[in-house]
């Protein structure tokens, strides 16, 4: 490899390193906001669950939304990002999901894909995907964006088109660790005899409260899982970009040594030529 080729390669890798460093910094800046969002959403889910549990304890009959029953068809809500460059973030999720469904007939489950990666993953493996278009998973997630889908999921569950709804996503453990998690969304499994620190006063029938609160619960649970997955995504991308930057800098350092060694050899060759020429 000539000196010019080495220099061109060093410049190209330095540009790559500057891009990966910028992406690392962006992901790092988003982690704090995502952490706050996840904490707030989880606190809200806890309160909504208490309201549901309080209402369920005052109902005389069992209700499909909060009782176990025979499962004939499942709906998996698969949550992913729209973008790559996040290390093993998607690979570990897809590998775990394929393991989950490997012995299950395709007529026994459906997939609701949120995120560009999930949509194309389902198409690639010819899985029973129910959404006909990509549902983008942007960084500025809001509950309003998924309200329509939450109602459709609940209506399908109540009409017995599906018997169980499961959220499948990457759960944030710490900056270096994200694990695949599956949460049962429907039916809502509530504690039968949970003591409450506060009393809820209803001005309507507990059945009505259960029905209306479940809408909020489904929507908020999807949002909470998305917030968790989004935090995992930023952490995974930050680590991946840091590793990429470190690798690029290491290659540049080796190329720099190679460049100086080649330069030294070239100078030595030129000096020998000069000396040999003077002796002729």
């Amino acid at each position: 490899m000539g000196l010019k080729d080495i220099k061109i390669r060093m410049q190209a890798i330095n540009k790559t390193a500057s891009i990966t460093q910028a992406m690392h910094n962006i992901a790092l800046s988003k982690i704090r906001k995502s952490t706050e969002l996840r904490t707030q959403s989880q606190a809200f889910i806890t309160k909504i669950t208490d309201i549901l549990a309080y209402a369920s304890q005052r109902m005389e009959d069992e209700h499909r939304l909060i009782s176990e029953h025979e499962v004939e068809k499942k709906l998996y809500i698969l949550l992913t990002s729209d973008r790559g460059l996040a290390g093993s973030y998607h690979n570990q999720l897809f590998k775990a999901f394929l393991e989950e469904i490997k012995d299950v007939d395709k007529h026994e489950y459906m997939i609701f894909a949120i995120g560009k990666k999930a949509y194309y993953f389902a198409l690639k493996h010819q899985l029973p995907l129910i959404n006909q278009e990509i549902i983008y998973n942007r960084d500025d997630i809001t509950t309003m964006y998924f309200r329509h889908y939450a109602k459709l999921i609940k209506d399908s569950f109540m009409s017995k088109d599906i018997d169980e709804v499961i959220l499948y996503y990457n759960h944030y453990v710490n900056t270096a660790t994200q694990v695949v998690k599956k949460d049962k969304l429907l039916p809502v499994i509530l504690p039968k005899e949970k003591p409450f620190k506060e009393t809820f006063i209803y001005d309507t029938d507990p059945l009505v409260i259960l029905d209306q609160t479940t809408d909020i619960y489904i929507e908020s649970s999807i949002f909470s899982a998305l917030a968790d997955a989004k935090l995992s995504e930023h952490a995974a991308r930050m680590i991946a970009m840091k590793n990429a930057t470190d690798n690029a800098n290491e290659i540049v350092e080796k190329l720099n040594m190679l460049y100086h060694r080649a330069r030294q050899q070239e100078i030595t060759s030129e000096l020998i030529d000069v000396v040999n020429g003077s002796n002729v």
Side-chain angles (χ1 to χ4, degrees), residues 29-41:
S29 67
K30 290 179 178 179
I31 283 181
R32 182 177 178 181
K33 182 179 179 181
S34 296
T35 301
E36 294 175 356
L37 187 64
R38 187 185 73 147
T39 302
Q40 293 169 1
S41 65

Side-chain angles (χ1 to χ4, degrees), residues 92 170-180 231-232 235-236 239:
Q92 69 173 8
N170 276 313
H171 166 64
Y172 177 87
V173 178
N174 54 51
T175 304
T177 307
Q178 299 85 41
V179 298
V180 177
L231 177 57
S232 298
I239 296 297

Side-chain angles (χ1 to χ4, degrees), residues 42-56:
Q42 289 176 340
F44 187 76
I45 288 294
T46 300
K47 184 60 65 176
I48 287 292
T49 303
D50 284 347
I51 295 173
L52 285 171
Y54 196 83
S56 68

